Amino acid sequence: MTDLIRSAGLSCYPEVARSVGLDPKQMMRKARLPLAILDKPDTPIAVASLRRLLELSAEASGAEDFGLRLAERGGLTNFGAVGLIVREQATVGEAIEAFSRFIHIHHDGMKLDVITDKQTVTVTLHLRGRQPTAPRQSIDMALGSIHRIIQSLFGGDWRPQEVHLHYPPPHDRKRYREFFRCRVTFNAEEDAILLSAHDMERRIPSAHPLIANYLRKRIEAIESRPASWEEKVDEVVRILLASGDCTVERVAEHLACTRRTIHRHLAEAGTSFSAILEAQRADLVIQLIEDPDRPLADIAAQLGFSAQSAMARWFRGRFGCTITDWRRGVRPLPQPRGVTPANLGFRLVRKERL
């Protein structure tokens, strides 16, 4: 199953790439990542594509610390709703617990274990799909981001006790010591940050309990991430359709696979790409046509129709009335199961206006 991450994780990529002499657009093409995601931070992309981009960038630039450079320029804003709820917790300990609980909403291939004893708290990073030859840049970016988040909660005057990395030491160990500001152990059993248990009690001055409670309820409502191929394709289609650039090829780019793979998995699930696209089109078109000032030609183009007339035929077949009727408040009467507007005729009712 393809793990997904919000494209906000790459918001600083162009700046970092250029700082080490790389052309960010060229590197993203090599990693087979859509360039449009840089302007759309909530777009889901395949974790595998992100990892490939980081490793290619480190290799092409010779910057062993490429992942750390990305983490250095990032912060809570890169984590969207997860970052917001972390920021509003009362203590550092509560913030770390919230981050570990909700991180899968931002990155569904990432997991954090928080283990506390009398004196030390160990925050262990797990990246799903890690192989013996681990993607060290992805680990650096993830663990470096966790470090930066905790540091921001303290206001900058904090350092961990130790940092453990499972891979062999780089050529320049000094860079890692300067970034984490503590002893860094390589060839460790796990990738982790160790901090003092006393640090967990540190109050966060900017915290707002009411906002934290509100955000927690909102984020719990969306806590369940898509797990099946059908759900993940549906999520990507919904986002791309809203941006006016949705094809099976484009969806395949975001999921780091081929269109054939998408068709095969959806067929196994008893559905198809066209069925998912049709359902999302139907949801979106109702929202778009509510604006009478929006040209129908523009709506047709956004939804991927070849012409306004093609959308008009599709709409009438789907909803049993014209777009003009719908805008006037005319709706088809509910039909018995198996009966469509096409084979029953136009039994319309005018929607009451409040």
Side-chain angles (χ1 to χ4, degrees), residues 300-313:
Q302 178 173 344
L303 296 178
F305 290 101
S306 58
Q308 179 179 328
S309 57
M311 181 181 71
R313 289 192 298 273

Side-chain angles (χ1 to χ4, degrees), residues 57-296:
S57 299
E59 181 181 357
S61 64
E64 284 186 303
D65 63 339
F66 194 86
L68 289 184
R69 292 176 186 237
L70 278 171
E72 201 165 38
R73 288 168 170 79
L76 281 171
T77 55
N78 293 105
F79 292 88
V82 178
L84 290 176
I85 196 170
V86 167
R87 186 185 63 188
E88 300 299 337
Q89 298 305 305
T91 67
V92 170
E94 291 175 13
I96 292 175
E97 290 291 345
F99 190 72
S100 66
R101 175 180 174 182
F102 296 115
I103 185 58
H104 65 280
I105 294 174
H106 170 75
H107 181 335
D108 59 14
M110 181 174 169
K111 180 176 178 291
L112 296 179
D113 286 333
V114 182
I115 307 298
T116 304
D117 61 26
K118 291 182 179 180
Q119 296 182 329
T120 305
V121 176
T122 303
V123 181
T124 304
L125 169 70
H126 302 280
L127 294 179
R128 188 159 54 199
R130 194 180 79 181
Q131 302 299 320
T133 53
R136 63 192 301 166
Q137 301 303 325
S138 297
I139 292 169
D140 284 358
M141 180 180 173
L143 208 62
S145 296
I146 296 168
H147 175 273
R148 288 279 292 172
I149 287 171
I150 299 174
Q151 192 174 58
S152 70
L153 297 175
F154 274 88
D157 61 340
W158 170 84
R159 64 183 64 194
Q161 293 181 337
E162 295 180 37
V163 166
H164 294 176
L165 294 166
H166 85 278
Y167 55 74
H171 291 100
D172 185 8
R173 299 190 189 197
K174 181 181 177 182
R175 166 65 173 140
Y176 284 73
R177 290 194 300 269
E178 290 176 345
F179 179 90
F180 290 108
R181 301 171 63 195
C182 68
R183 185 175 70 176
V184 180
T185 301
F186 296 92
N187 289 318
E189 293 184 0
E190 56 193 11
D191 303 301
I193 293 178
L194 282 65
L195 58 153
S196 168
H198 180 69
D199 289 341
M200 304 289 274
E201 302 172 7
R202 175 72 173 260
R203 306 291 298 182
I204 300 175
S206 62
H208 196 299
L210 291 178
I211 294 178
N213 186 53
Y214 168 77
L215 289 171
R216 182 177 292 274
K217 290 180 179 178
R218 290 295 301 273
I219 205 169
E220 284 174 348
I222 60 171
E223 185 173 1
S224 178
R225 286 284 296 159
S228 67
W229 272 93
E230 181 180 357
E231 291 170 329
K232 292 193 174 186
V233 170
D234 186 76
E235 179 186 33
V236 176
V237 167
R238 182 176 66 254
I239 292 173
L240 294 185
L241 198 60
S243 67
D245 185 21
C246 184
T247 64
V248 66
E249 290 82 8
R250 186 66 69 192
V251 173
E253 279 186 345
H254 283 262
L255 298 180
C257 64
T258 65
R259 56 181 295 173
R260 184 173 297 179
T261 299
I262 290 177
H263 289 314
R264 174 167 52 83
H265 283 294
L266 293 181
E268 292 171 354
T271 187
S272 65
F273 181 81
S274 59
I276 291 175
L277 179 62
E278 179 88 351
Q280 288 295 343
R281 269 179 173 168
D283 287 342
L284 184 56
V285 73
I286 296 305
Q287 300 174 43
L288 297 179
I289 64 175
E290 287 297 326
D291 180 1
D293 296 325
R294 186 187 291 265
L296 292 180

